[in-house]
Amino acid sequence: LKKSGGAGTGCGGGEPQVKDILKQELEKLGGGLSNHLCEHFPYSRQELMALVRTEPDVTSVNSFEKILAKHGSGDGCEVCKPAVGSILASIVNEVILEGGREALQDTNDRSMANMQRGGSYSVVPRVPGGELLPEQLIALGDTAKKYNLYTKITGAQRVDLFGAAKHELPDIWEELGNAGFESGHAYGKALRTVKSCVGSTWCRYGVQDSVSFAVRVENRYKGVRSPHKMKSAVSGCVRECAEAQGKDFGMIATENGYNLYVGGNGGANPVHAELLASDIDEDTVIRYLDRYLMYYILTADKLERTAPWQRKLPSGKNGGGPIEHLKEVIIEDSLGICDELDRRMNHLVETYHDEWAEVVKNPELRAKFKQFANTEQNIAKDDMIEFVDMRGQQRPADWPKDGQPQTMWQAPQNDIFAKSEKSWVKVGDVKDFAANVGTPILVGDTQLAVFNNAQRDEWYCTQNMCPHKQAFVLSQGILGDASGTPKVAFPLHKKQ
């Protein structure tokens, strides 16, 4: 469908609908669409999560290699590696760049920043409840000026800093950390923000302190990895200025406490959240949310938001639909799993770590952000990305439309490589190249991507520049295989 009609190849927002159409048409023909993760695992994400979570000895399933050996085959790919990485983060919750786990991370998670057009990155600090100190605003401005970053207020009450080079990220986060900022996890399938209005602290209509509660909720669930991103909000009265009913979970203040809504989202298919409980105090909200979120984490499909997951749940005993089922599971403990849900969420909360603080304080982790493994030399981002001015700030120049050449270069007709003189060039020791990932190096003026495929005991080297978008990012692609043939998934558009 993608190749023949281009459906789902734009921003990606239409891809779920394309899959739904394909599924429906296949079923009309008497077939079906497999829900297996990929060719390497004959299980859905939900089924694989169940196998991992019910394993008596968690140390036998605490790495991708162990899970692959026990439940899969092959080398893995850009689909199953991030899915397993998310499962491990939701069950074990260790530093994602340690213990070989960086090889499982998708484009943004591996750099702990969102890759933008041209190969630069954005920096998004956490701003719980949207509340900032004046000193923190000044620190954001100082950092943006120092590194020439484009700044924008987001719809989630945060400040985005765009245009950072990957090697600049640890230094940027060290400065922001000194100002009291933590990672905002904008790069991960995790809790993004808990938006809030000012509530009763300032607004004459507010009936509860929505800001303080939003800060409490965000600090509890920050860093919690899930099948897809999660957004939340707290409104201080029924006027709903924080738009809580359009979030994965949201709270609206009443005179007696809060109404708790779950399963909403905006996006291409907006969904209105449903009321789970009314007039409950903050502690009860937290208890129900712990269970709701953990139930979602344990049973949702890969890259499935709470709204479609919730819609597919069974109906309650009295025919009240999925929301009645959730009330039975979360409030009445109809499945007898509330103790497990409470325990697992408490583990995630207790093992929280600021991912960028871990990098900043650890020289080995900081070294993973070097621009080139074989030299301390850096190439300025302005020399690799064309920037243009926009209202006093710089942004990357627009990409040509797909199908239009971005360079006048054409492949030569004859085989230059076969006729060229060759010699070995030392670019470092084996230990300088992490297993099962790509690492950029600089040879003369040429950027290369070296892949240490430790699973096959093979090494590959290619240019680091994408021939499609002319960005120097190939080394950030996920290494895997397709039908036994090694491959690298390109980090910008996932083409092979």
Side-chain angles (χ1 to χ4, degrees), residues 268-281:
N269 293 292
V271 177
H272 199 286
E274 297 179 274
L275 181 64
L276 181 67
S278 303
D279 292 329
I280 53 177
D281 61 27

Side-chain angles (χ1 to χ4, degrees), residues 57 97 102 226 229 244 267 274 289 413 422 430 487 494:
D57 179 13
L97 297 186
E102 66 175 310
S226 51
K229 63 185 176 184
E274 297 179 274
L289 277 179
Q413 297 296 318
K422 307 172 190 66
V430 170
K487 68 171 186 176
K494 298 300 184 290

Side-chain angles (χ1 to χ4, degrees), residues 414-434:
N414 57 341
D415 189 350
I416 293 179
F417 182 78
K419 297 180 180 180
S420 63
E421 183 178 338
K422 307 172 190 66
S423 61
W424 288 103
V425 177
K426 181 171 181 178
V427 294
D429 298 324
V430 170
K431 63 179 177 58
D432 298 328
F433 298 85

Side-chain angles (χ1 to χ4, degrees), residues 331-396:
I331 301 174
E332 302 169 15
D333 196 15
S334 61
L335 298 180
I337 60 172
C338 283
D339 285 346
E340 180 190 359
L341 300 179
D342 293 343
R343 173 174 53 81
R344 290 192 180 278
M345 182 56 75
N346 284 332
H347 170 74
L348 295 180
V349 172
E350 291 168 1
T351 56
Y352 166 76
H353 48 273
D354 176 10
E355 292 175 344
W356 267 112
E358 296 294 323
V359 170
V360 166
K361 69 184 182 184
N362 187 327
E364 290 185 10
L365 294 182
R366 285 188 84 131
K368 294 180 183 294
F369 290 82
K370 285 184 61 177
Q371 190 171 21
F372 304 110
N374 64 322
T375 177
E376 298 300 322
Q377 177 183 347
N378 291 319
I379 298 179
K381 55 193 174 189
D382 300 68
D383 293 332
M384 298 186 293
I385 304 171
E386 181 185 358
F387 288 100
V388 297
D389 180 78
M390 187 172 74
R391 295 181 291 277
Q393 300 193 86
Q394 68 172 21
R395 67 164 181 86

Side-chain angles (χ1 to χ4, degrees), residues 48 66 80 324 372 446:
L48 188 59
K66 292 177 182 178
C80 63
E324 185 181 57
F372 304 110
T446 302

